[in-house]
Amino acid sequence: MKRVAVLGATGSIGRQALEVIAGHPQLELVAASSGSHPVDGLAPFTQVGGDPVELLERSEPDVVLNAIVGFAGVTATLWTLERGVDLALANKESLVAAGELALAAQARGGGRLLPVDSEHSAVFQCLEGRDRATVRSIVLTASGGPFRGRNRQQLQDVTPDDALAHPTWQMGPKITVDSATLANKGLEVIEAHFLFGLPYDRVEVVIQPTSVVHSLVRFRDGAALAHLGYPDMRVPISYALTYPERAGTDVEPLDFSSGLTLEFESVDTEAFPLLGLARRAGELGGTYPCVFNAANEVAVEAFLEGRLPFLGVADLVAETLEAVEGAPARDLDELIAADEQARRLAQRGMAVA
Ligand SMILES: NC(=O)c1ccc[n+]([C@@H]2O[C@H](COP(=O)([O-])OP(=O)(O)OC[C@H]3O[C@@H](n4cnc5c(N)ncnc54)[C@H](OP(=O)(O)O)[C@@H]3O)[C@@H](O)[C@H]2O)c1
């Protein structure tokens, strides 16, 4: 039996995780948390709001699924890795903002860091049992979101409702907007850098509109291994929670008889500048990825509330990155300070604009 804590149990990933746990007799839900929605009775230990670490201390899980959205997930990621408890990580923002601290905590704690993001789960699986010296690069796939193929002019007047209509994935609002701006792919490039220990120039991104190819790994002999399946987050959630067993799911297998075409295209970095900005923040390192994440969170919230146009999201993130002076991310307090400063600058940037 594995005792599982689900943080963010009321969200898109959290609810699918509860379904996965209910279907696996070897998984026992011991704790569930949310930001504000009720979770009473979902699990023996529950908590609404506050620091999720308190819930983890009380419930003593074997594996923590961190499905909180945003920087609010950082403390739970660090606590879990420090304690040597296995971490099934959906909350990519915590690895982006606190990547170096998270890896150091994992090295001390010795637990497993199992990606739940479908792209990273795919790469993780393609890399299993391979000598890292044989890896040339990893290739993260992106659906391109609802605005694939549009130029900047055609993006000027898009609304939150337009951005929330994702073509292939049903997800929470923040990540859905991030998918429309491609900030999500930028966050994933930084996440991949930390998870797989590769420099940024060996983390590629390609558009694959149907999201059937979840990602690929290129090897030095010219071969590329890919992970395929219909887009369904229950697969990577189940894989991470039951690792290394790969328990069964009732997810539909690929149907080749109905004609499966796999098209790829390159990213339009001019129309979607957030991917390049994330890469740049990642390369600068230190607190820059944390700043990128914080400014993006502020901008996405403002866009969803109708206070910022779609193209303003990238502009605000770029201005905030310009305005800060990066520093090494030595401990959580410094990171929280960098996050707060970036949020203040982004808010001020919006007030001036
Ligand atoms: N959805 C996907 O398919 C998908 C795929 C890959 C990765 N991810 C990643 O998974 C994470 C969750 O995404 P999602 O789509 O599931 O988001 P979501 O549907 O918006 O759910 C977010 C969850 O986080 C909780 N939460 C928000 N603020 C919190 C706080 N301050 N403290 C504790 N809990 C808080 C929410 O509780 P309330 O309901 O009470 O607000 C909710 O349970 C994100 O990092 C996202 O990038 C998601």
Side-chain angles (χ1 to χ4, degrees):
M1 283 299 271
K2 272 194 200 176
R3 294 164 54 82
V4 187
V6 177
L7 307 178
T10 50
S12 160
I13 291 288
R15 281 180 278 118
Q16 293 178 82
L18 299 186
E19 207 182 301
V20 165
I21 293 166
H24 288 315
Q26 72 274 36
L27 299 176
E28 179 191 4
L29 181 68
V30 292
S33 83
S34 71
S36 58
H37 289 96
V39 284
D40 311 331
L42 267 188
F45 295 91
T46 57
Q47 185 177 308
V48 177
D51 189 346
V53 161
E54 288 168 29
L55 177 72
L56 297 176
E57 295 275 6
R58 284 190 285 136
S59 57
E60 298 180 5
D62 300 315
V63 55
V64 175
L65 173 70
N66 187 352
I68 293 173
V69 61
F71 187 80
V74 166
T75 53
T77 286
L78 295 179
W79 182 95
T80 306
L81 293 171
E82 195 76 57
R83 298 296 181 293
V85 173
D86 286 353
L87 175 62
L89 185 65
N91 175 254
K92 65 190 89 187
E93 295 93 339
S94 60
L95 202 57
V96 168
E100 287 168 26
L101 296 182
L103 293 189
Q106 189 198 12
R108 288 190 295 269
R112 288 186 283 220
L113 177 42
L114 300 158
V116 169
D117 235 341
S118 60
E119 295 80 358
H120 303 72
S121 177
V123 170
F124 183 90
Q125 292 175 54
C126 292
L127 284 174
E128 269 199 296
R130 321 272 164 202
D131 181 347
R132 290 302 164 95
T134 65
V135 174
R136 180 174 288 168
S137 65
I138 60 180
V139 186
L140 303 177
T141 52
S143 70
F147 305 137
R148 180 173 62 90
R150 296 200 196 185
N151 60 31
R152 279 183 74 78
Q153 208 191 340
Q154 292 165 323
L155 290 170
Q156 235 155 18
D157 299 322
V158 298
T159 65
D161 280 347
D162 299 331
L164 288 172
H166 196 278
T168 55
W169 294 100
Q170 293 292 320
M171 309 181 286
K174 195 259 176 181
I175 183 176
T176 307
V177 173
D178 283 348
S179 300
T181 62
L182 289 203
N184 182 51
K185 216 44 59 179
L187 294 170
E188 287 180 9
V189 166
I190 302 173
E191 181 186 13
H193 161 78
F194 285 116
L195 276 173
F196 306 117
L198 285 175
Y200 285 97
D201 61 359
R202 288 167 63 197
V203 182
E204 304 174 54
V205 174
V206 70
I207 302 285
Q208 201 279 305
T210 56
S211 303
V212 164
V213 180
H214 298 141
S215 277
L216 308 92
V217 177
R218 293 187 202 262
F219 292 88
R220 64 184 178 193
D221 60 357
L225 294 187
H227 181 289
L228 273 66
Y230 291 125
D232 190 322
M233 287 307 293
R234 290 173 301 166
V235 176
I237 292 170
S238 174
Y239 184 81
L241 291 183
T242 67
Y243 184 84
E245 188 194 326
R246 194 191 282 274
T249 74
D250 56 10
V251 171
E252 210 187 320
L254 283 177
D255 177 7
F256 298 108
S257 63
S258 62
L260 195 64
T261 52
L262 303 177
E263 289 168 346
F264 295 88
E265 55 193 62
S266 56
V267 178
D268 180 348
T269 48
E270 200 195 319
F272 301 98
L274 278 158
L275 176 57
L277 284 169
R279 217 178 248 288
R280 181 84 189 111
E283 280 163 352
L284 288 168
T287 51
Y288 278 107
C290 176
V291 170
F292 174 90
N293 178 66
N296 183 56
E297 284 189 31
V298 170
V300 170
E301 195 183 335
F303 169 66
L304 282 170
E305 290 170 1
R307 290 184 283 118
L308 192 68
F310 184 78
L311 292 176
V313 176
D315 291 344
L316 192 67
V317 173
E319 284 160 23
T320 310
L321 282 168
E322 276 295 314
V324 294
E325 225 169 274
R330 282 172 303 206
D331 59 35
L332 183 58
D333 287 343
E334 285 186 355
L335 213 59
I336 290 173
D339 173 81
E340 286 172 352
Q341 188 206 19
R343 282 169 201 269
R344 269 196 311 275
L345 285 168
Q347 296 288 4
R348 206 179 302 156
M350 259 184 317
V352 171

